[in-house]
Amino acid sequence: MSTIKTSVNRRSFLKTSALAGGGMLLSFNWLLHSNIKAIAEEQIPEGWFEMNAYLKIATDGTVTIMAPNPEFGQNVLTSLPMIVAEELDVDWDQVVVEQAPFRTDLYTRQFAGGSQSVRQGYNALRTAGATARQMLINATAKVWNVSASEITIKKGILKHTSGKTSTYGEMAEAASQEKVPESVELKNTEDFTIISSSKKNVALPDIVSGKSLFGMDYKVPGMKYATIAHPPAFGLKLKSYDGTEALKMPGITDIFDIDIYNEGYELNIFDTATFPNLVVVVGDSTWQVMQAKKALKLEWEPFEEHTLKLNVFGNKSTQVVPAGLESSEDHWEQMDAKSKEPGTVVRKDGDPETAFKNAAKVIESTYTAPFLAHNAMEPVNFFAHVTEDKAILAGPLQAPELTEPTVSARLGMSKDQIEIIMTRMGGGFGRRAYSHEVVEAAVISQKIKNPVKLVYTREDDMTYGIYRPAYHATFRAALDENNKMVAYHIKTGGIPESPLHANRFPAGAVDNYLAESWQINSNITIGAFRAPRSNFMGGSEQAFLDEVAVAAGKDPIAFRLELFEKAKTSPVGKDNDYEADRFIALLELLRDKSNWEISKPGVHRGVAAYYCHNSYVGHVVDLKNENEKLVFDKVYSAVDCGIVINKDAARNMVEGAVTDGLGNAMFGKMTFKDGVPQKSNFYNYRLIRMPEAPKDIEVHFVENGKNPTGLGEPPFPPIFAAYTNALSRAKNKRHYNHPFEEEML
């Protein structure tokens, strides 16, 4: 066991108190024991010390664990409570899990994103469980008048060396009177019985029985429905509208326009000014308002270049939004031209210019990828009921804590007057971190003085923006006469941001390294998309390294292992953001489990491995030709995310990321003509279909006992490259520009 302090200061554990009717309630601070960057106490905002989770033990022995993070399929509603239950040493069958309410006075980081929920909560949740366990032991020792050292716990049963036993429920009330111990013993990882097991999703019975869980399910008596009309093209704004005919249609009660933000408002990290002025149709049903929307007479006009004010966690800046109606053809020409200009040097090791000049062989390639739409299956929606003194908001939202200040500013209400109810999300991938629909629903309700459900059509969502940016990367590698890679150069950028992670592999693994960055401004709005920036860099970098391995006459895995050995034994630079030995262990596991070194007749194989969001993932894709069509015969995946909390959930995350990534690599593409998105629904924005998905996905985890890290995003980027590399072997030619639809169909 290891000893851990239960408090950093007097506010670490604010209270332990008896529940009504007896029992025990332990409140604990979420972040004080988490794996976040060390910050001096005086620098920590007061809000970080608010209580963020609860562990309740009832007199009947039932243990209720409240999970604070929003749930949208990553299964934190099950995995986070498993951590508490492990250290509490309770029978999982006795555990009841509840979604915690959104309460900034109690919880911190009620956010789904960045693959950080388990990583940041792990130590805090273990400490909470272990603290409750020790308090139960201390209370029992007093009741029995024995030494606490003579009491053991197993599956919710307290046992004395004499054989005397008691349940948690019988001792819960006494334990609630105990002082919080200054330190507690945590279990050794080899003693885990709940962590690293497989537990079924605690919400599964409600999901399969159709219980109301999602934002679309939320409704109240007398609720109205609303939908919006936004400009058909980026670069346009509302000039005028006429809703006379639409207002005559059945069930339609109101038509008006709204401004999402007040004049001069400083946008925070998840605010978007895509279309700040919208036309709203309100009525008695979604069908009625969507039909009436078609009858609106709308006139749009170009907007002029303007500047937005930003305030991201106190860092104020401005952003210029250019005027004009942009087209994809122009985008590709602009990026190609920009890539030929000198970029901003972000990192330079050694003397890459000389190394390239003296190289025996130079490999150079350019990879591109288009804008992508999120396409979460649950339509964008939010409920709002705003009165003079209170606002109740409900719906699918990844970042309620970062949305609340925006709603407060727009409605002119204090945060204490705003209640946000977190529903389960029907997908997100970053899209539901953005809060415009929350503000829109709130403004609509405030204006009509009635509860309202705002619902977007699929066309509204797909053409509203917040896309994955379009990217462009040019790579060069230099080989010496022994086919050793002696220099590497990456110059990359995009519209409107660069995807560069300058300190990632192969930085640190090559003596001469140069990383340059550039970007082109745009009025097409972008946002977080599963594994932001990494989703392109992982695919392009790993595809290019495959090219280099072929040029060097080396096996792709052996080539990578050679580079990682260099990074391990004599790393270049000090800011490399990966651990070479973990990459080596990952690739060795992937090589062995996929039988990489044994050829498969008729099977074309590709491999890739990438680090992001604190985790390491590698894939091998097996492509096979069946009936003159390439199919995904099998995918092998190796993952190093440290200790796996819930193996069922972890495998699900990897399998989902593999399928999602392959679908985007094959079909994902959003284009524009004169500012107009050229795809608006699933009939022309192609997704992967069930017969096209891999026949089998075999997932393996590196067991190294390290603290858990992220898993929602890390499996996503490398699958693009593993597929690209397999496809290149199947077609005997390299592929550089996503998507690859014509190559598969």
Side-chain angles (χ1 to χ4, degrees), residues 563-600:
L563 291 171
F564 285 123
E565 192 63 36
K566 159 76 173 175
K568 178 181 178 180
T569 57
S570 54
V572 180
K574 299 180 180 179
D575 298 322
N576 308 318
D577 63 0
Y578 60 92
E579 297 176 48
D581 57 342
R582 295 183 73 168
F583 251 132
I584 291 170
L586 177 88
L587 280 169
E588 289 176 342
L589 178 67
L590 184 62
R591 178 192 61 197
D592 296 344
K593 294 299 183 181
S594 67
N595 293 313
W596 174 260
E597 295 170 335
I598 301 175
S599 62
K600 295 182 176 182

Side-chain angles (χ1 to χ4, degrees), residues 262 264-268 271 308-311 316-317 406:
N262 295 322
Y265 174 71
E266 296 177 334
L267 303 177
N268 73 30
D271 292 336
L308 301 175
K309 297 179 180 179
L310 309 179
N311 187 347
K316 296 190 177 185
S317 61
T406 304

Side-chain angles (χ1 to χ4, degrees), residues 235-237 300-304 323-325:
L236 296 182
K237 65 179 180 178
W300 315 96
E301 62 181 351
F303 62 59
E304 297 179 352
L325 303 178

Side-chain angles (χ1 to χ4, degrees), residues 338-410:
K338 192 75 172 178
S339 71
K340 293 176 173 59
E341 301 172 3
T344 300
V345 176
V346 182
R347 174 167 169 164
K348 183 177 181 180
D349 297 327
D351 186 357
E353 292 85 358
T354 300
F356 276 104
K357 181 179 178 181
N358 297 331
K361 187 182 298 183
V362 174
I363 303 94
E364 180 173 342
S365 294
T366 295
Y367 287 79
T368 69
F371 287 91
L372 296 177
H374 288 83
N375 296 326
M377 291 307 294
E378 180 186 13
V380 170
N381 71 92
F382 228 84
F383 167 88
H385 186 192
V386 180
T387 61
E388 290 186 2
D389 56 3
K390 188 172 181 63
I392 299 174
L393 308 169
L397 185 62
Q398 290 180 232
E401 196 165 349
L402 298 174
T403 299
E404 188 181 52
T406 304
V407 176
S408 172
R410 181 59 180 87

Side-chain angles (χ1 to χ4, degrees), residues 628-695:
E628 298 184 357
K629 180 180 177 182
L630 286 174
V631 299
F632 295 110
D633 189 55
K634 188 165 185 175
V635 175
Y636 299 86
S637 301
V639 181
D640 178 2
C641 60
I643 295 170
V644 178
I645 304 301
N646 185 345
K647 290 189 174 179
D648 265 1
R651 278 190 291 267
N652 289 343
M653 292 291 280
V654 177
E655 291 169 357
V658 165
T659 306
D660 188 20
L662 291 175
N664 278 288
M666 291 169 68
F667 308 116
K669 186 177 185 180
M670 177 60 79
T671 57
F672 304 88
K673 185 175 182 180
D674 296 329
V676 179
Q678 296 299 287
K679 299 179 181 181
S680 60
N681 210 319
F682 293 133
Y683 76 92
N684 58 6
Y685 194 105
R686 183 80 152 76
L687 300 181
I688 192 169
R689 295 168 183 165
M690 292 182 70
E692 297 160 342
K695 296 178 181 179

